[in-house]
C-alpha cells in the first residue's frame, strides 16, 4: 500500500512499488487527463508536478512520490479555469488535444519559476513535449498570454 | 414521415418522448449496407430538438483535431437559426445514414468532411427551420411569410409573439414542406465565415475530454499485444511461464495477428508481455532499406505502364540539347499519432459495444458484424475523441484484434498497443522512387516525363484489386470507397494514391509522359495525411525549381509563366510571394524557396525562409502560406490546420523516416523516430483567398507544399539540391 497525495487529496493504492505514477493515476484513481504517449519519458504527454517540479509520470515509480504532493491537469482549475487554461482557450491552442495536459503542466512549472519567459526560455522549457498536431506557435503565444494573466491576477 | 427535399434526398422526421428527430436520407446511401433495416434511419438523425428547446447535433464525422465538430455545427446553426454556443453535439453511431456522401461509407478522411456535408447539412437545417416556422404560423393563424426564426425561436414581429422550437415539436412533426428549401447566400451569413471558438477545446484544456484510451468501464480488463517483429512472419510458439508470474494476469493467448496478454491493468499486461518468450517464423527477413533501393533502381530501368500521355515526350527528351534528369527518393513514414492504437470491446450474447477513436465507423461496423456473427443493429460503435488520426485511424486492424480478444471474456476488455507496437506496426506512407526528366526551350517546358516507382495502397485496401489476397473480415464498404477513389474502374494503373499530384501536372507542356512501375516490397502501407501528394508534390515542385535555375529564371516567375491558364494556382502563388517579400534581400546563409500545389480541390502556395549553417544545421525560420479552399467556414480552423500541416510536413522533411532492417522497422519510439519540437517550429503566416467557390477540406492540402518549399529554400541558401528526404545535416555540410 502506498499513500499518494493527488490534487490535495490523499489516496491509499494497492500496487507494486515499481508501478509508474501514470498508471496509478489512470487505472487506480481514474484520473485519465495525464496521457500515455511513449512510456520512456520522451514525449511529455504524461507530465505531472511532483512537489512543484515537472515529472514524467510514465517513468516515475509510485514508491518515489509517497508523501509528496502531485498535481495533475484535473487539479488545475478551481471554480474557474486557471489562467493557463484561459490563455489556451483564448488562443484556441489544442487540435487533437492528446498532448495538451502535458503542455499545460509544463507551462505551469515554467511560469512558476519564470513568470515572464522569453521565447528562448519557452523553447528550453517546452522542448521535451511533443505535439504531433503542430500547435507549437499557439502554445508559445498562450504561454506569453498566461504569464500576463498570472501577473495580473497576482497584482489584483 | 418523409419529405422530399430534392431529387436525391428526403427529410425524415420522427417524434418521440425525448424530442423531434430530424434526419435526411440520401438516395443510394444504403447501397453498401444491404443488410441494414430501414427503421433504424428514423432514430438516428442529425438533429434532435427536445421539449426544453435543447438542440443536439449528432455529428457523423470524427473529431481528430481538425475542428470538424465545430465547423459542421456552424453549418447547422447558420440555417437552423440557433446560437452555435447552444448546440450540443454527440458523435453518431455507425449507420448507413451517416455514410460519407462521397465515399458512400462512413469514413472521415480525404479532406472531404466539409465538401460532403456543406449542402446536405445546410439543407436539412434550413428545412427544419422552415417546418418550425410553418408550425408556429399555423398555431398563430398568421401567414408563414411574416414569421421568422432566431435563436431556436419563431417570431412574428407585428403581433409581438414568439415561441420556442421546443414547444412546436408535435406540430412540426405533422408539417410538410410545400416550398423549395432556399439556402442563405453568403451575405446573409451570421456564423459562417467568422472565427468561432471550437466546441471541443474547453474539455481539452482541463483533462476531461475522453479519448479511446480513457474509456473506463466496470469490471473492465486490459490487454496488450506483441506482433511479429518481422513483416510476413508468423507465430511458432511462445513460453509464457515468466509472464504468468506477474500479478493480475488473467490470460495469455494467440490471436491471428500476435500474442495477447490480458490482465487487471494495462501496466500488468505490459509488464507481462515484455516477459513473453516468443518464437516467430523467419518471415521476410531479407527486406532491407538498401535492398528496396536496389529494386527501385531495377524498376527504373525496366518496363513501366503509361498513366498519362500526350504529345511525344520520349523523342523530344532524346533529342533535346537542354534537358535535365533527376532522381528523387522518399522514405516510409509513420503516422505516430500521440495516442497509440487502442479499442475497448464488450461482447455479450446478443450485443457488441465498441468504444474507439476511429475515422472509419462504417468499415469497423462491417468488420465487427463479420467477426461476431451479430446483426448490424446489435453492433454499437461509440466514437470517442481521436488523439490524432492522420489516416491511421481509418484502419480496422486494432478494432478487429480487440474483438478477437473480447471473444474470450464476458466483461469489457480494453486493448492498448504499446508505443513500440504502434511505431512498428503502422500502415506506413509508402516509400517511392522517381525518375523525372524535362526538356526546356527558352522559357517554355517542351516535354516532361515522370516515372514513379512505388507500392499501391489501393491494392491492399480495395477488395476489387486482388480478391485472393483479401482478408476475410475486410469490410465490403471499402469496395464502394475504392470505386470512389479510382473513379469506378479499379485497376492498378489508376490507383491515385501513387500518381496523384504528378498525373495532373499543372505546368503547361504539350508533351507529357507519366509512368508507373508498381513495386511493393511487402511493408504494410496506408493513407497518411495527404497520401500520394505528400511524395509527388515534393518531386514535382523541387524539379520545377531545378528547371527554373537551369533556365536562369527566378523560380517564382518561372512558375507564373507556366501556370498562365491556372488562375487559382496563380492566386495563391502571387499572394504567398507578395506577403513573403519575395525577391527582397536575406542575410548570407539564408534563402527563400517557393512551392505551389493543388490537392483535395484546394490550392496552396508556401514560401519558406531557411538558414543553413556550415556544420549542416538547418533552421526553418518562417513560412508564409496562401490557401484557396473556396468559401471559408471557420477561418481560425483553416489557419490552425495550415499551421499543423506545416509542422506535420516539416517533420517528414527534416526529422523522421521509417527504415527497414532484416524485415523489421528499425525505429520503435520517439527517441529514434523524431518529431518536430517547439524550438524547430517556424513562424507561420497564413493568408486566405476570398473565394466564391464551394468550400473544400483543409486538413491535408498544406502538407505536401512545405517539403519542396524548404528544399528549394535550401538551394537558394546554400546551392545544395535536396533530392532525398528526410534532409540530414550531412546533406548540407
Amino acid at each position: 500500500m502506498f499513500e499518494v497525495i493527488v490534487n490535495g487529496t490523499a489516496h491509499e493504492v494497492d500496487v507494486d512499488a515499481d508501478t509508474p505514477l501514470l498508471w496509478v493515476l489512470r487505472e487506480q484513481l481514474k484520473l485519465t487527463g495525464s496521457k500515455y504517449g511513449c512510456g520512456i519519458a520522451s514525449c511529455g504527454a504524461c507530465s505531472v508536478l511532483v512537489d512543484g517540479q515537472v515529472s514524467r509520470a510514465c517513468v516515475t515509480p509510485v514508491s518515489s512520490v509517497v508523501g509528496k504532493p502531485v498535481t495533475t491537469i484535473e487539479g488545475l482549475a478551481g471554480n474557474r479555469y486557471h489562467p493557463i487554461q484561459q490563455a489556451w482557450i483564448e488562443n484556441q491552442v489544442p487540435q487533437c488535444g492528446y498532448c495538451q495536459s502535458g503542455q499545460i503542466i509544463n507551462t505551469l512549472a515554467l511560469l512558476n519559476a519564470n513568470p515572464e519567459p522569453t521565447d528562448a526560455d519557452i523553447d528550453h522549457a517546452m522542448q521535451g513535449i511533443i505535439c504531433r498536431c503542430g500547435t507549437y506557435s499557439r502554445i508559445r503565444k498562450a504561454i506569453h498570454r498566461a504569464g500576463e494573466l498570472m501577473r495580473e491576477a497576482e497584482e489584483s | 414521415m418523409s419529405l422530399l427535399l430534392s431529387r436525391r434526398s428526403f427529410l425524415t422526421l420522427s417524434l418521440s418522448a425525448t424530442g423531434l428527430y430530424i434526419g435526411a436520407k440520401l438516395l443510394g446511401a444504403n447501397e453498401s449496407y444491404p443488410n441494414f433495416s430501414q427503421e433504424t434511419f428514423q432514430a438516428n438523425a442529425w438533429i434532435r430538438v427536445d421539449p426544453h428547446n435543447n438542440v443536439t447535433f449528432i455529428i457523423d464525422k470524427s473529431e481528430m483535431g481538425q475542428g470538424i465538430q465545430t465547423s459542421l455545427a456552424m453549418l447547422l446553426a447558420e440555417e437552423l437559426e440557433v446560437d452555435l454556443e447552444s448546440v450540443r453535439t454527440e458523435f453518431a453511431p455507425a449507420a448507413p445514414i451517416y455514410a460519407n456522401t462521397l465515399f458512400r461509407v462512413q469514413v472521415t478522411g480525404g479532406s472531404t468532411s466539409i465538401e460532403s456535408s456543406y449542402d446536405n447539412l445546410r439543407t436539412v437545417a434550413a428545412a427544419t427551420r422552415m417546418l418550425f416556422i410553418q408550425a408556429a404560423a399555423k398555431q398563430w393563424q398568421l401567414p408563414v411569410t411574416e414569421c421568422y426564426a432566431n435563436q431556436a425561436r419563431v417570431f412574428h414581429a407585428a403581433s409581438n409573439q414568439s415561441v420556442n422550437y421546443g414547444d412546436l415539436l408535435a406540430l412540426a412533426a405533422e408539417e410538410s414542406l410545400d416550398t423549395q428549401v432556399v439556402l442563405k447566400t453568403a451575405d446573409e451569413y451570421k456564423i459562417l465565415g467568422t472565427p468561432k471558438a471550437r466546441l471541443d477545446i474547453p474539455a481539452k484544456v482541463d483533462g476531461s475530454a475522453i479519448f479511446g484510451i480513457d474509456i473506463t468501464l466496470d469490471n473492465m480488463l486490459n490487454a496488450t499485444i506483441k506482433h511479429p517483429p518481422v513483416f510476413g512472419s508468423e507465430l511458432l510458439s511462445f513460453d509464457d511461464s515468466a509472464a504468468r508470474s506477474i500479478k493480475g494476469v488473467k490470460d495469455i493467448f494467440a490471436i491471428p495477428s500476435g500474442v495477447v496478454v490480458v490482465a487487471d491493468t494495462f501496466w500488468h499486461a505490459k509488464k507481462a508481455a515484455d516477459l513473453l518468450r516468443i518464437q516467430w517464423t523467419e518471415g521476410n527477413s531479407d527486406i532491407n532499406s538498401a535492398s528496396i533501393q536496389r529494386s527501385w533502381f531495377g524498376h527504373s530501368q525496366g518496363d513501366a505502364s503509361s498513366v498519362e500521355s500526350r504529345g511525344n515526350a520520349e523523342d523530344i527528351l532524346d533529342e533535346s540539347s537542354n534537358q535535365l534528369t533527376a532522381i528523387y527518393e522518399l522514405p516510409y513514414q509513420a503516422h505516430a499519432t500521440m495516442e497509440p492504437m487502442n479499442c475497448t470491446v464488450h461482447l455479450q450474447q446478443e450485443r457488441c459495444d465498441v468504444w474507439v477513436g476511429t475515422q472509419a465507423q462504417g468499415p469497423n461496423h462491417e468488420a465487427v458484424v463479420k467477426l461476431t456473427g451479430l446483426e448490424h443493429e446489435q453492433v454499437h460503435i461509440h466514437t470517442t475523441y481521436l488523439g490524432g488520426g492522420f489516416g491511421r485511424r481509418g484502419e480496422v486492424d486494432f478494432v478487429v484484434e480487440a474483438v478477437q480478444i473480447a471473444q474470450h471474456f464476458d466483461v469489457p476488455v480494453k486493448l492498448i498497443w504499446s508505443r513500440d507496437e504502434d511505431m512498428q506496426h503502422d500502415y506506413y506512407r509508402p516509400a517511392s522512387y522517381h525518375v523525372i526528366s524535362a526538356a526546356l526551350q527558352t522559357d517554355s517546358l517542351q516535354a516532361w516525363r515522370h516515372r514513379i516507382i512505388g507500392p499501391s495502397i489501393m491494392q491492399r485496401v480495395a477488395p476489387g484489386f486482388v480478391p485472393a489476397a483479401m482478408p476475410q473480415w475486410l469490410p465490403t464498404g471499402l469496395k464502394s470507397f475504392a470505386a470512389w477513389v479510382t473513379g469506378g474502374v479499379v485497376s492498378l494503373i489508376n490507383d491515385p494514391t501513387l500518381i496523384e499530384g504528378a498525373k495532373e501536372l499543372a505546368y503547361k507542356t504539350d508533351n507529357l509522359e507519366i509512368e508507373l512501375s508498381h513495386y511493393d516490397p511487402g511493408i504494410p502501407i496506408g493513407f497518411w495525411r495527404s497520401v500520394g501528394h505528400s511524395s509527388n508534390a515534393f518531386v514535382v515542385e523541387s524539379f520545377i525549381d531545378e528547371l527554373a535555375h537551369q533556365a536562369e529564371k527566378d523560380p517564382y516567375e518561372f512558375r507564373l509563366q507556366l501556370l498562365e491558364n491556372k488562375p487559382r494556382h496563380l492566386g495563391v502563388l502571387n499572394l504567398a510571394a507578395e506577403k513573403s517579400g519575395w525577391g527582397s534581400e536575406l542575410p548570407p546563409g539564408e534563402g527563400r524557396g517557393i512551392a505551389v500545389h493543388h490537392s483535395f480541390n484546394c490550392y496552396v502556395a508556401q514560401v519558406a525562409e531557411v538558414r543553413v549553417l556550415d556544420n549542416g544545421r538547418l533552421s526553418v525560420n518562417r513560412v508564409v502560406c496562401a490557401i484557396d479552399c473556396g468559401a471559408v467556414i471557420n477561418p481560425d480552423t483553416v489557419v490552425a490546420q495550415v499551421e499543423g500541416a506545416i509542422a506535420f510536413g516539416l517533420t517528414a522533411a527534416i526529422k523522421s523516416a521509417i527504415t527497414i532492417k532484416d524485415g523489421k522497422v528499425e525505429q520503435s519510439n520517439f527517441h529514434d523516430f523524431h518529431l518536430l519540437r517547439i524550438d524547430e517550429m517556424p513562424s507561420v503566416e497564413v493568408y486566405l483567398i476570398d473565394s466564391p467557390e464551394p468550400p473544400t477540406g483543409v486538413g491535408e492540402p498544406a502538407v505536401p507544399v512545405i517539403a519542396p518549399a524548404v528544399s528549394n529554400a535550401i538551394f537558394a541558401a546554400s546551392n545544395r539540391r535536396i533530392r532525398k528526404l528526410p534532409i540530414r545535416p550531412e546533406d548540407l555540410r
Side-chain angles (χ1 to χ4, degrees):
Chain A
M1 284 292 229
F2 295 93
E3 191 189 69
V4 289
I5 308 158
V6 181
N7 303 326
T9 310
H11 305 266
E12 292 274 320
V13 290
D14 184 12
V15 294
D16 299 335
D18 65 348
T19 308
L21 175 59
L22 175 66
W23 298 104
V24 172
L25 294 170
R26 292 183 55 84
E27 301 199 301
Q28 308 297 324
L29 307 182
K30 316 294 182 208
L31 294 171
T32 55
S34 311
K35 301 302 190 206
Y36 166 61
C38 66
I40 58 167
S42 88
C43 79
C46 65
S47 300
V48 298
L49 297 189
V50 176
D51 241 349
Q53 301 297 311
V54 173
S55 177
R56 301 292 172 95
C58 74
V59 294
T60 304
V62 65
S63 54
S64 73
V65 304
V66 171
K68 298 176 184 169
V70 175
T71 305
T72 72
I73 187 72
E74 289 91 347
L76 229 61
N79 295 326
R80 46 183 303 190
Y81 285 121
H82 187 280
I84 298 173
Q85 292 169 316
Q86 254 173 276
W88 245 245
I89 293 172
E90 259 181 51
N91 286 281
Q92 294 282 292
V93 174
Q95 289 189 23
C96 90
Y98 195 77
C99 73
Q100 296 295 338
S101 336
Q103 306 284 359
I104 289 171
I105 289 290
N106 279 272
T107 299
L108 180 62
L110 166 65
L111 293 177
N112 281 342
N114 178 0
E116 220 165 331
T118 62
D119 279 345
D121 296 336
I122 292 173
D123 280 350
H124 182 73
M126 303 298 288
Q127 202 265 351
I129 308 96
I130 298 173
C131 173
R132 181 60 156 155
C133 300
T135 64
Y136 297 127
S137 320
R138 288 170 189 243
I139 289 172
R140 185 184 302 282
K141 276 185 215 156
I143 292 175
H144 287 304
R145 177 64 181 144
E148 262 171 42
L149 290 171
M150 283 168 77
R151 292 195 298 277
E152 279 168 23
E154 221 148 81
E155 282 157 22
S156 62
Chain B
M1 114 186 285
S2 64
L3 305 168
L4 192 62
L5 276 181
S6 73
R7 213 160 40 82
R8 295 189 55 245
S9 59
F10 292 97
L11 195 67
T12 58
L13 300 176
S14 76
L15 185 65
S16 78
T18 52
L20 180 65
Y21 292 76
I22 303 104
K25 185 156 85 75
L26 301 161
L27 291 184
N30 58 343
E31 279 165 2
S32 57
Y33 292 82
N35 305 327
F36 216 98
S37 61
Q38 192 77 10
E39 287 66 44
T40 345
F41 294 132
Q42 303 293 326
N44 297 308
W46 279 330
I47 306 168
R48 184 172 68 232
V49 182
D50 76 12
H52 306 292
N53 215 31
N54 295 314
V55 176
T56 304
F57 170 35
I58 297 119
I59 177 176
D60 58 3
K61 298 289 188 291
S62 302
E63 178 59 65
M64 45 192 156
Q66 83 281 41
I68 200 63
Q69 186 180 4
T70 310
S71 302
L72 293 184
M74 287 171 74
L75 296 178
L76 177 111
E78 181 71 65
E79 288 290 353
L80 189 56
E81 290 293 357
V82 299
D83 285 342
L84 177 65
E85 295 70 23
S86 72
V87 176
R88 300 162 180 217
T89 57
E90 284 172 15
F91 291 111
I97 189 177
Y98 300 122
N100 183 310
T101 57
L102 294 173
F103 297 160
R104 297 265 178 248
V105 57
Q106 193 176 342
V107 160
T108 305
S111 293
T112 58
S113 295
I114 285 291
E115 191 183 335
S116 68
S117 306
Y118 186 56
D119 284 339
N120 298 331
L121 198 51
R122 286 185 308 144
T123 304
V124 172
T128 307
R129 180 195 72 222
M130 287 165 70
L131 292 175
F132 282 124
I133 293 177
Q134 282 176 208
K138 197 171 274 177
Q139 183 175 304
W140 295 330
Q141 297 185 315
L142 288 164
V144 170
T145 49
E146 291 178 12
C147 303
Y148 67 95
N150 191 22
Q151 296 184 312
R153 208 170 164 79
V154 184
F155 292 85
H156 183 259
S159 64
N160 202 19
Q161 295 185 83
S162 66
V163 58
N164 279 337
Y165 287 177
D167 294 324
L168 292 166
L169 301 185
L171 281 172
E174 295 305 314
E175 282 300 309
S176 61
L177 283 182
D178 25 9
T179 51
Q180 190 84 35
V181 174
V182 181
L183 297 177
K184 289 183 186 177
T185 52
D187 57 335
E188 296 171 296
Y189 289 159
K190 291 184 278 192
I191 297 171
L192 301 185
T194 40
K196 291 291 175 190
R198 284 202 2 224
L199 303 174
D200 54 334
I201 282 185
K204 290 178 176 178
V205 304
D206 65 13
S208 65
I210 298 295
F211 297 85
I213 203 168
D214 301 327
I215 291 293
T216 305
L217 302 168
D218 288 346
N219 304 316
M220 185 179 80
L221 296 176
N222 289 273
T224 197
I225 186 164
K226 290 279 185 190
H227 297 98
V230 173
F231 294 118
S233 94
E234 284 169 18
L235 179 67
L236 275 175
S237 64
F238 64 91
D239 171 0
D240 61 7
S241 48
R244 282 194 186 265
S245 72
I246 298 295
K247 194 171 76 181
V249 169
K250 302 289 177 194
D251 204 356
I252 298 174
F253 51 89
I255 60 173
S257 56
V259 181
V260 174
V261 179
V262 182
D264 54 350
T265 63
F266 171 74
W267 173 245
H268 285 146
K270 166 88 170 68
K271 217 169 140 178
D274 289 341
L275 294 173
L276 285 171
R277 282 196 293 262
I278 311 176
Q279 303 293 318
W280 310 97
T281 62
E282 198 177 340
N284 307 323
S285 58
D286 53 343
I287 307 175
N288 288 291
S289 286
S291 67
I292 292 172
Q293 202 173 23
R294 280 195 297 277
S295 299
W296 276 340
F297 181 74
H299 279 262
S300 72
Q301 307 295 307
D303 290 340
S305 314
S306 174
V307 293
E308 185 80 21
S309 183
R310 61 173 180 265
N312 190 358
E314 210 69 32
D315 290 348
I316 291 168
L317 284 163
D318 280 349
E319 288 157 21
S320 170
S321 59
N322 190 11
Q323 78 105 28
L324 190 67
T325 294
I327 289 169
Y328 284 83
E329 279 178 43
L330 292 108
Y332 290 101
Q333 283 292 352
H335 295 84
T337 60
M338 291 310 295
E339 180 192 12
M341 294 305 106
N342 66 84
C343 176
T344 304
V345 176
H346 188 197
L347 180 59
Q348 300 171 79
Q349 208 70 38
E350 291 184 353
R351 181 183 173 103
C352 184
D353 288 274
V354 178
W355 292 264
V356 61
T358 177
Q359 296 173 243
Q361 291 84 358
N364 275 315
H365 197 209
E366 293 276 346
V368 179
V369 164
K370 278 193 178 155
L371 282 164
T372 59
L374 292 169
E375 300 296 322
H376 283 85
E377 291 85 342
Q378 295 172 315
V379 172
H380 305 271
I381 310 277
H382 309 278
T383 304
T384 62
Y385 281 121
L386 284 65
F390 317 123
R392 179 63 181 92
R393 288 194 154 88
E395 304 289 348
V396 300
D397 54 334
F398 55 101
V399 177
V400 167
E401 289 178 351
V403 172
Q404 289 167 337
I405 295 165
Q407 282 171 333
H408 292 246
F409 299 93
D410 296 329
V411 294
V413 186
K414 174 159 70 182
L415 167 68
I416 303 175
W417 286 18
S418 69
R419 172 58 60 192
D420 299 36
E421 293 296 326
D422 187 279
M423 190 69 79
Q424 302 198 317
H425 298 279
D426 196 350
Y427 290 98
Y428 304 93
R429 193 284 304 275
S432 58
Y433 187 86
H434 304 251
V435 183
I436 189 162
S437 309
L440 290 167
Q441 193 173 43
T442 57
D443 292 349
S444 71
L445 191 56
Q446 215 188 350
W448 177 279
R449 184 181 59 204
H450 182 174
R451 178 180 285 199
I452 300 164
I453 297 145
S456 160
I457 299 173
M458 295 312 291
Q459 181 158 6
R460 171 180 73 80
V461 171
F465 262 78
V466 259
M470 174 188 145
Q472 191 264 328
W473 43 262
L474 226 149
T476 50
L478 283 173
K479 273 183 194 156
S480 49
F481 168 67
W484 176 80
V485 170
T486 54
V489 191
V490 182
S491 79
L492 201 54
I493 299 307
N494 65 4
D495 177 359
T497 65
L498 269 163
I499 55 180
E500 60 189 3
K503 185 185 174 197
E504 61 286 2
L505 183 74
Y507 298 102
K508 194 178 150 196
T509 183
D510 292 332
N511 301 288
L512 178 94
E513 189 67 45
I514 309 292
E515 301 171 329
L516 178 65
S517 179
H518 181 247
Y519 165 61
D520 189 347
I523 308 301
I525 49 168
F527 301 94
W528 183 90
R529 195 174 184 179
S530 81
V531 197
H533 293 283
S534 71
S535 305
N536 291 330
F538 169 66
V539 177
V540 171
E541 282 301 303
S542 299
F543 192 59
I544 275 287
D545 212 74
E546 293 201 51
L547 293 173
H549 289 284
Q550 167 108 343
E552 295 178 351
K553 294 279 173 195
D554 175 273
Y556 160 54
E557 283 164 18
F558 184 72
R559 283 175 172 82
L560 286 185
Q561 160 198 321
L562 294 175
L563 291 169
E564 244 172 14
N565 303 316
K566 302 280 180 184
R568 296 182 77 183
H569 283 83
L570 288 175
V572 290
L573 197 61
N574 285 325
L575 185 59
E578 179 207 323
K579 297 291 184 185
S580 69
W582 183 264
S584 63
E585 279 291 311
L586 285 172
E590 295 192 16
R592 219 178 254 123
I594 194 163
V596 60
H597 191 68
H598 164 231
S599 61
F600 308 95
N601 296 327
C602 180
Y603 300 78
V604 176
Q606 289 171 14
V607 174
E609 289 177 9
V610 307
R611 182 159 188 233
V612 182
L613 298 179
D614 288 341
N615 62 5
R617 215 186 121 88
L618 168 73
S619 59
V620 181
N621 298 330
R622 178 183 180 222
V623 178
V624 175
C625 179
I627 178 168
D628 175 357
C629 58
V632 171
I633 307 301
N634 193 356
D636 191 51
T637 287
V638 177
V639 172
Q641 283 304 292
V642 169
E643 291 166 350
I646 286 170
F648 195 87
L650 197 52
T651 293
I654 68 173
K655 298 292 291 183
S656 64
I658 288 291
T659 53
I660 311 297
K661 192 176 178 203
D662 301 333
K664 62 182 271 197
V665 168
E666 287 190 274
Q667 294 71 25
S668 63
N669 207 319
F670 298 126
H671 67 289
D672 53 11
F673 187 82
H674 298 283
L675 302 181
L676 199 78
R677 307 265 178 167
I678 193 168
D679 56 320
E680 298 161 311
M681 182 74 191
S683 87
V684 175
E685 299 159 40
V686 184
Y687 299 94
L688 314 184
I689 295 267
D690 188 10
S691 169
E693 300 291 329
T696 69
V698 294
E700 295 170 279
V703 174
V705 196
I706 186 65
V710 165
S711 67
N712 294 340
I714 289 171
F715 186 80
S718 69
N719 251 347
R720 285 179 179 80
R721 177 57 64 185
I722 301 298
R723 298 195 185 92
K724 182 180 176 182
L725 296 183
I727 303 161
R728 300 292 187 198
E730 50 268 32
D731 303 331
L732 304 178
R733 266 176 219 138

